Amino acid sequence: MPLFWTVGAYAQDEAAQNTPFGGEMAPAGGEEAQAPQVEAIKPPPLEDPIEAVDIKGNSRIETSTILSYMVVQPGDRFNQDLLDRSLKTLYATGLFHDVTLKRVGNVLEVHVVENPIVNRSVFEGNHAAKDEDLTKVISLRPRAVYSPQGISADRQKILGVYAEKARYAATVTPQIIRLAHNRVDVIFHINEAQKTLIKKVTFVGNKSFSSAQLAGIVSSKETAWYRFFASSDQYNPERIKYDAELLHRFYLKNGFVDFQVKNATGELSPDRKSFYITYTMEEGPRYRLNKMSVQSSLRHVSADSMKKYITLFHGQWYDGSAIQHNATNMQELLQGKGYPFAMVHPEIARNPEKRTVNLLFDISEGPRMYVERIDINGNTITEDKVIRRQLPMAEGDPYTPLDRKYSKMILEDLGFFKTVSIDQTPGSAPDKVNISADVVEKPTGEFSLGGGYSTDAGVLGNLGLKQHNLLGTGIDAGFTGTAAYYEDQADISLTDPYFLNRNLVAGIDIFGMQNHYMTYQSYSEGRYGITLRMGYSYNNHLSQSWNYTLTDRQVDDTWSDSSYYVQDQSGWSLLSQLSTTLTYDTRDRRQQPHKGFVVRVGGDFAGIGGNERYVRGKVDAAYYIPLDSIMGNHEWTVSFRGGAGEIVNWGGGRSDIIDNFYLGGNSLRGFMDGGVGPRSYAIPARDGHPMHSQQDFLGGRFMYTASAQVDFPIPFASAMGIKGRYFVDMGGLDGLRVRRRYTSMKDWPKYTPVYDDTLTPVVSTGVGIAWKSPFGLVNIDLGVPLHKGTNDRTQLLRFGFGQQF
């Protein structure tokens, strides 16, 4: 008898589910698993050499392939370690269900049982995740080799997809069905369960701010009935990390220099239906700014000359973002004055005993770097020049880290791309750098259909079709139309943001509008025309715009008993007008600004052709003051607004009332549109009384307005996107500007007196709310007149809303 011994093992079954096989349910991993084992009949006295390796049982996998996986090869000795390693290596390939090594004389026989091939993979019970999305994450796709380890891994991957969709209670049960020719169907039975929402958000360690205030800071929200359109109440681990950063920024902005988030955790409830999120923090003391100074090592830039650009003040609460913003502004100022490599670093020194911070702006010269090459990648639609002209640098220009930051911001603001990344690599010399702008295009067409209501126009519907990147040129083109109870309008527009490859915005509008003023006027007006526009920026804050408008106008539908001033307007006129506006804007944002100011000065000149002759001047300003240091958060803002305008005829102008200034509505809340200022009654009947009580608003030559407003958070409503406001509005309008006057008894029988032609201020006050609802922005204002003229028309409630979808 020859000496021999065998090594055998069976794959361990890792799948817990059974499947039909030959009329019975079979385990997903095959037969009952056995651990690898070594059966020695009688160990050989010596390790004899292996003369040959005989592979048996393989039908799909080549013999040479199996041999390549093995550690032991012909010529090697029958070594226990080599045989064990070969066994493990063959199992590790995932190709075999069972492997047995057996010695027969000096021949090593390798018996293999191949794992099945996946015929198809099927998902059952999935609705929140599409089949194609799940197929992307699994490995057991058609023609893949089935293994118990693979099916277990795929189960976890599918659960990961549902975790991303906040369905942590989802279950996945894998099953296999064995087919002929060693093939299997893989079935994943999925119970998606309900979304796992955030039940409670808790803050531990907060003393200076209430939990309700902090809940308004973090992006994770407790589930509520009105969040059916939002995802903020769905648990997301990445959002929890982001919330910790939001809390850190908030506390730094409010003077807590030593603030730390000790822990941010999400705990799943035992029933796996909800999460409990806890933020554990340590606030530390609150610091105020003490001494502020400047240190400069930049040639020809003294520290004293830069102190005037410190916008912070002694005694204010430490604000990390304001300090960095101040440093950035100083750095940009120096770079704009011919110091392209100037760097401004804010440095602080704490005094915990006095709870103060000394601030130093250190001005130095950074490393000299120049742009060698700029590469644009990923723009399949947008032309290269559209991207290059937006970048703040070109080949050969000085390069600073801010250039990289602003390049990304500018390209993202275009709205043409899903993602934007700006990368830099070393150039051909130590002082040169190559810039790569990598973008991913997104659809830039827009179709909108919406409806709503406004006090001015009544019930309305609108339709819009726009393309913000026409043929990849960056040109914005579109059509908008609105049909309302009191107003119909349509507009076709085309805007080139980089006209003639220069810093010029040019555009054209073709418009038509029909206003039915019958609710508060006794005539209707139609306007049809064209506007040519152009604008440019002098710097980041100063810009100017020009436009020329040619408008065909028609006033009709006057009542038979309308005042003579209105009846004189009936008919056609042609307006040819050149306008300009100069704007200086330092606001932190255009929508709902928190700080800064804006000043606009403009004028209109009518008379370049047409039959209207007038000059109209306008000026308005707004100043926004944050109340962060007083109220302890960023939801409070005080704003002051004011404006004035005057219109003067020249060359025998027609004095049409449709060109006059009108006061009321948005410009003076608490009063009807045009409800303040000169007005006249209708033509008297034979008994000397008007045939109707309608007052005809005539507008005026000179108007001024002023307003003070406080924007504030509403307790328990901020989370719903609701903010409140309190306002005081004031204004005045005078100067009868009509085609003919009938204010003297000598004009009898057309004598028509005019009322409220005075600059005496009209004042109103009230409250309002702005709600960013799921259906659009809702504005409601309740205004109460404090002082008004005898015949001024009031309007207690003013509101409007709408939504594009």
Side-chain angles (χ1 to χ4, degrees), residues 16 63 86 88 105 128 271 278 317 382 420 454 499 570 580 652 656 703 708:
T63 298
S86 295
K88 293 178 181 177
D271 60 4
T278 303
W317 292 115
T382 307
V420 176
S454 74
F499 186 60
S570 183
T580 185
D656 287 330
M703 181 180 74

Side-chain angles (χ1 to χ4, degrees), residues 42-114:
K42 185 176 182 181
L46 295 174
E47 294 182 349
D48 297 326
I50 299 173
E51 294 180 358
V53 177
D54 187 11
I55 309 297
K56 296 184 177 182
N58 57 315
S59 60
R60 185 180 69 253
I61 304 170
E62 297 289 339
T63 298
S64 59
T65 301
I66 298 175
L67 285 172
S68 68
Y69 290 134
M70 296 182 61
V71 177
V72 65
Q73 296 292 324
D76 293 337
R77 302 267 180 187
F78 282 97
N79 179 275
Q80 180 71 41
D81 180 60
L82 292 178
L83 294 173
D84 285 345
R85 289 166 58 191
S86 295
L87 179 67
K88 293 178 181 177
T89 301
L90 290 175
Y91 271 118
T93 63
L95 299 174
F96 307 107
H97 169 66
D98 187 22
V99 179
T100 301
L101 304 182
K102 182 177 181 180
R103 177 180 178 177
V104 180
N106 287 333
V107 176
L108 177 63
E109 290 186 358
V110 181
H111 296 267
V112 297
V113 178
E114 295 175 342

Side-chain angles (χ1 to χ4, degrees), residues 154-166:
D154 284 351
R155 175 180 175 273
Q156 293 300 323
K157 292 175 182 177
I158 295 173
L159 289 174
V161 171
Y162 280 95
E164 293 177 357
K165 299 180 179 295

Side-chain angles (χ1 to χ4, degrees), residues 345-608:
H345 298 284
E347 299 177 0
I348 64 172
R350 300 176 179 85
N351 187 332
E353 295 180 357
K354 295 183 179 180
R355 297 189 176 183
T356 60
V357 170
N358 292 334
L359 176 62
L360 171 68
F361 290 100
D362 183 21
I363 302 174
S364 60
E365 186 175 62
R368 292 177 176 266
M369 299 290 290
Y370 299 90
V371 178
E372 182 176 16
R373 189 178 73 251
I374 298 177
D375 297 320
I376 310 295
N377 304 311
N379 53 318
T380 56
I381 300 174
T382 307
E383 297 178 1
D384 267 21
K385 67 177 183 179
V386 174
I387 298 175
R388 288 181 179 274
R389 71 194 184 192
Q390 298 294 327
L391 299 177
M393 70 283 190
E395 280 90 348
D397 285 355
Y399 175 77
T400 67
L402 280 178
D403 290 330
R404 182 179 179 182
K405 172 185 174 183
Y406 286 122
S407 295
K408 187 175 188 298
M409 292 174 55
I410 290 170
L411 294 183
E412 288 176 338
D413 288 344
L414 284 176
F416 300 163
F417 311 112
K418 290 181 181 178
T419 60
V420 176
S421 63
I422 306 295
D423 300 313
Q424 64 184 61
T425 55
S428 60
D431 63 343
K432 293 187 178 182
V433 63
N434 295 324
I435 304 300
S436 175
D438 300 300
V439 301
V440 177
E441 301 269 8
K442 73 176 183 180
T444 54
E446 177 184 317
F447 174 77
S448 61
L449 179 67
Y453 177 85
S454 74
T455 308
D456 300 337
V459 178
L460 59 88
N462 58 60
L463 172 69
L465 183 62
K466 296 182 179 181
Q467 174 52 255
H468 301 292
N469 187 17
L470 186 64
L471 301 177
T473 62
I475 293 176
D476 191 298
F479 165 80
T480 59
T482 300
Y485 191 80
Y486 302 123
E487 180 179 290
D488 300 310
Q489 62 179 2
D491 181 271
I492 300 174
S493 65
L494 190 70
T495 303
D496 186 348
Y498 213 76
F499 186 60
L500 299 178
N501 290 323
R502 297 180 180 274
N503 180 30
L504 294 174
V505 179
I508 181 173
D509 294 297
I510 302 174
F511 60 89
M513 180 174 61
Q514 186 73 37
N515 286 328
H516 312 285
Y517 294 121
M518 312 310 277
T519 54
Y520 60 90
Q521 290 283 55
S522 54
Y523 64 89
S524 63
E525 177 191 356
R527 299 186 183 216
Y528 307 90
I530 184 172
T531 296
L532 304 177
R533 298 175 278 107
M534 180 174 291
Y536 45 86
S537 298
Y538 295 102
N539 53 45
N540 291 337
H541 301 299
L542 185 62
S543 61
Q544 187 170 15
S545 64
W546 295 84
N547 65 66
Y548 170 74
T549 302
L550 183 67
T551 310
D552 180 285
R553 310 186 301 182
Q554 182 75 28
V555 174
D556 50 23
D557 292 335
T558 58
W559 296 353
S560 59
D561 54 350
S562 299
S563 73
Y564 291 113
Y565 302 112
V566 171
Q567 292 191 25
D568 286 345
Q569 301 295 305
S570 183
W572 172 86
S573 64
L574 182 65
L575 172 66
S576 177
Q577 177 177 283
L578 179 67
S579 306
T580 185
T581 301
L582 188 67
T583 303
Y584 190 82
D585 193 347
T586 67
R587 294 174 297 176
D588 57 345
R589 52 181 179 261
R590 299 294 183 266
Q591 299 293 328
Q592 295 183 331
H594 186 55
K595 60 182 176 181
F597 66 90
V598 58
V599 178
R600 298 185 186 89
V601 179
D604 305 317
F605 178 81
I608 309 175

